[in-house]
């Protein structure tokens, strides 16, 4: 069975200080359909945004963002599990840090838990350990984490579900004539240094971290598909009906 890592961004899961229950339900429904055909691993952002729904702390202070991550992470997993239970499925929280990929021994250890969960039909829900991985909160992002997850856990493809439906030749929010690129084989050095442009106040990535994730996989003969997490039709088509209609394929 092929293995897919699905990464979903903060903006898809949250809106104006609450979790978007409808989008989460649609996502879970999609993941359950995917689990029929693939081995699925989810990388989910939004712990801090979820925490903020519970306690309004000043997010400009690092310690507060860590506290929000600690409050929000279990709430996020609980919300996933409530939705998964409608389909008689369950999810499991796996918190990892970059160090888990540092040595073969640690990578093997992480692989073991992922394989055991998948073997039991459980959905691994991965996040970086935001409460203590402070550098990640300041600089990091789940896009690159998910690329590592895809590579080290032997996935065939990484799917990034974002607030945008693909990779454009320029920022589509600023340029109405921007065109979406359907297939990308190579990422140029200058694309990795585009200005930082995340879609929301909670987002840590922007397009550059997605390009870095794609670049990491392209250099290792991996693949990545980027599509909308708001409107799932393109990712359904691509993964479940073998049709590339919308979304960008990096391969
Ligand atoms: P997420 O929360 O899903 O990780 P981000 O908000 O961090 O997503 O990044 C996606 C945003 O990047 C888009 O909403 C868009 O505003 C911005 N962006 C900048 N340049 C581009 C581009 N060339 N193609 C697509 N999106 C771009």
């Amino acid at each position: 069975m092929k293995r897919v890592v699905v990464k979903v961004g903060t903006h898809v899961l949250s809106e104006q200080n609450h979790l978007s229950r409808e989008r989460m339900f649609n996502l879970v429904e999609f993941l359950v359909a995917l689990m029929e055909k693939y081995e699925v691993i989810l990388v989910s952002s939004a712990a801090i945004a979820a925490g903020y729904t519970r306690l309004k702390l000043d997010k400009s202070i690092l310690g507060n963002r860590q506290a929000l991550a600690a409050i929000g992470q279990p709430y996020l997993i609980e919300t996933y599990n409530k939705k998964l239970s409608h389909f008689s499925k369950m999810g499991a929280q796996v918190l990892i840090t970059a160090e888990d990929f540092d040595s073969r021994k640690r990578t093997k250890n992480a692989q073991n838990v992922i394989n055991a969960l998948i073997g039991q039909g459980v959905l691994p829900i991965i996040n970086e350990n935001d409460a203590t991985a402070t550098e990640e909160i300041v600089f990091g992002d789940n896009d690159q984490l998910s690329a590592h997850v895809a590579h080290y856990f032997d996935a065939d493809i990484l799917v990034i579900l974002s607030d945008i439906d693909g990779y454009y030749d320029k920022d589509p929010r600023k340029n109405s004539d921007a065109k979406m690129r359907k297939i990308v084989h190579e990422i140029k050095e200058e694309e990795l240094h585009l200005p930082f442009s995340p879609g929301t106040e909670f987002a840590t990535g922007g397009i550059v971290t997605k390009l870095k994730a794609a670049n990491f996989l392209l250099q290792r003969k991996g693949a990545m598909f980027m599509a909308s997490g708001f409107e799932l039709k393109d990712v359904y088509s691509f993964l479940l009906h073998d049709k590339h209609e919308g979304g960008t394929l990096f391969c």
Side-chain angles (χ1 to χ4, degrees):
M1 221 184 205
K2 285 194 167 180
R3 184 172 283 194
V4 181
V5 174
V6 177
K7 182 261 170 179
V8 61
T10 298
H11 197 186
V12 173
L13 298 172
S14 63
E15 61 187 32
Q16 288 174 346
N17 301 334
H18 59 86
L19 291 179
S20 170
R21 300 193 174 274
E22 192 193 340
R23 286 202 294 272
M24 268 186 103
F25 185 83
N26 292 341
L27 172 72
V28 165
E29 190 179 34
F30 164 68
L31 292 168
V32 170
L34 214 55
M35 286 164 87
E36 297 286 314
K37 187 173 168 189
Y38 298 94
E39 295 180 348
V40 183
I41 300 170
L42 177 65
V43 176
S44 177
S45 301
I48 297 176
Y52 194 72
T53 66
R54 290 289 170 92
L55 192 63
K56 303 286 179 270
L57 297 178
D58 177 356
K59 285 168 286 176
S60 66
I61 299 165
L62 175 62
N64 283 350
R65 290 202 296 279
Q66 291 171 285
L68 288 171
I71 294 162
Q73 180 64 25
Y75 176 45
L76 190 65
I77 297 291
E78 182 192 317
T79 310
Y80 273 118
N81 266 328
K82 272 196 195 140
K83 307 228 176 311
L84 283 163
S85 69
H86 291 293
F87 304 94
S88 309
K89 294 274 183 202
M90 104 180 143
Q93 165 177 284
V94 182
L95 294 178
I96 55 182
T97 63
E99 286 168 2
D100 287 313
F101 303 119
D102 262 6
S103 71
R104 267 193 213 173
K105 194 173 155 201
R106 289 194 64 164
T107 304
K108 184 92 196 96
N109 199 26
Q111 281 167 347
N112 286 344
V113 64
I114 295 293
N115 291 340
L117 290 168
I118 290 175
Q120 292 303 316
V122 176
L123 176 69
I125 305 174
I126 295 181
N127 199 359
E128 181 138 23
N129 197 352
D130 283 343
T132 52
T134 56
E135 273 189 21
E136 128 75 22
I137 292 180
V138 178
F139 306 110
D141 59 87
N142 270 351
D143 295 321
Q144 292 180 85
L145 171 77
S146 61
H148 283 74
V149 166
H151 175 66
Y152 288 107
F153 298 160
D154 299 321
D156 296 278
I157 192 160
L158 166 63
V159 173
I160 291 200
L161 298 178
S162 182
D163 61 351
I164 194 93
D165 58 350
Y167 176 43
Y168 286 74
D169 57 355
K170 44 194 161 188
D171 188 346
R173 301 210 193 277
K174 298 195 182 111
N175 306 277
S176 55
D177 62 338
K179 288 190 185 56
M180 206 186 80
R181 299 180 60 188
K182 208 168 171 188
I183 297 186
V184 175
H185 296 300
E186 187 195 357
I187 291 160
K188 301 201 174 63
E189 191 56 32
E190 65 260 30
E191 292 175 276
L192 297 174
H193 299 287
L194 290 167
F196 179 66
S197 58
T200 64
E201 60 171 326
F202 291 112
T204 47
I207 196 69
V208 170
T209 56
K210 290 168 188 58
L211 296 176
K212 285 183 179 164
N215 196 44
F216 176 88
L217 289 171
L218 287 177
Q219 287 177 345
R220 290 162 180 79
K221 305 205 183 317
M224 181 176 119
F225 183 67
M226 178 181 163
S228 172
F230 284 77
E231 168 53 76
L232 298 172
K233 69 175 173 25
D234 290 338
V235 75
Y236 265 101
S237 295
F238 186 74
L239 287 175
L240 292 169
H241 309 298
D242 294 322
K243 272 195 220 128
H244 184 185
E245 284 168 345
T248 303
L249 175 63
F250 299 86
C251 64

